[in-house]
Amino acid sequence: MKITYIFITSLTLCCVAFGQQDRSFMVENHLRVGYDDNVTQTSSNEDKVIYYTDIFNLSGKYKLSGRTDLIVYWQPEMRFYTMSSLDDKSLFLQDLYLDYAHELNEKASLTVTDRYRYSDQAVNDSGDNNQFAENVFKASVLYIMDQRNAV
């Protein structure tokens, strides 16, 4: 967890230090109230619960050069349950999204995207460690074909 905070802070400082004037940064906070009629996801004990969620969103778009853009999006979510029979009354989730786009020339561009999702101990009665992490990395090259360079 601490590594994620250090990474986000370092990345943001690097982009601000080396970027040009074309950048934007946004901070949002969302509070939600929800209801779940079977929070433990078991058929024998359908526990009903009201939960409160605080979603904090940090996002930024940085124009690193005339042909290069970087988009950073980080959204931690803290969920608090009101049910007293749950062992763990909170849940922490987070999403991190990075998108790097570079125009190689007037016909070709490179895009690199990374999305990381994390959830700490999920709320259920299985007793298993239900931590969840997912990382999706994509890279693509786009080349525009026209009459002059058609195959």
Side-chain angles (χ1 to χ4, degrees), residues 6-19 23 62:
I6 292 169
F7 175 73
I8 294 294
T9 304
S10 300
L11 183 64
T12 303
L13 290 176
C14 288
C15 291
V16 170
F18 297 109
R23 58 182 170 247
Y62 306 97

Side-chain angles (χ1 to χ4, degrees), residues 26-56:
M26 185 170 29
V27 177
E28 295 176 312
N29 190 32
H30 304 275
L31 298 173
R32 295 183 183 167
V33 177
Y35 173 77
D36 192 340
D37 62 351
N38 191 1
V39 70
T40 56
Q41 300 177 359
T42 59
S43 59
S44 62
N45 188 10
E46 294 181 2
D47 295 320
K48 296 168 180 49
V49 65
I50 295 174
Y51 59 88
Y52 303 94
T53 304
D54 186 10
I55 300 171
F56 191 69

Side-chain angles (χ1 to χ4, degrees), residues 16-98:
V16 170
F18 297 109
Q20 294 179 349
Q21 296 295 329
D22 296 331
R23 58 182 170 247
S24 62
F25 187 75
M26 185 170 29
V27 177
E28 295 176 312
N29 190 32
H30 304 275
L31 298 173
R32 295 183 183 167
V33 177
Y35 173 77
D36 192 340
D37 62 351
N38 191 1
V39 70
T40 56
Q41 300 177 359
T42 59
S43 59
S44 62
N45 188 10
E46 294 181 2
D47 295 320
K48 296 168 180 49
V49 65
I50 295 174
Y51 59 88
Y52 303 94
T53 304
D54 186 10
I55 300 171
F56 191 69
N57 180 355
L58 296 171
S59 60
K61 182 175 181 180
Y62 306 97
K63 191 157 191 71
L64 301 176
S65 71
R67 302 181 328 178
T68 307
D69 291 329
L70 177 68
I71 298 172
V72 180
Y73 175 90
W74 183 51
Q75 178 174 290
E77 176 180 334
M78 287 75 59
R79 186 174 294 176
F80 305 99
Y81 295 93
T82 60
M83 193 168 90
S84 60
S85 65
L86 290 175
D87 292 334
D88 193 3
K89 295 183 192 222
S90 64
L91 179 64
F92 181 73
L93 310 156
Q94 67 178 333
D95 289 324
L96 173 63
Y97 175 82
L98 302 170

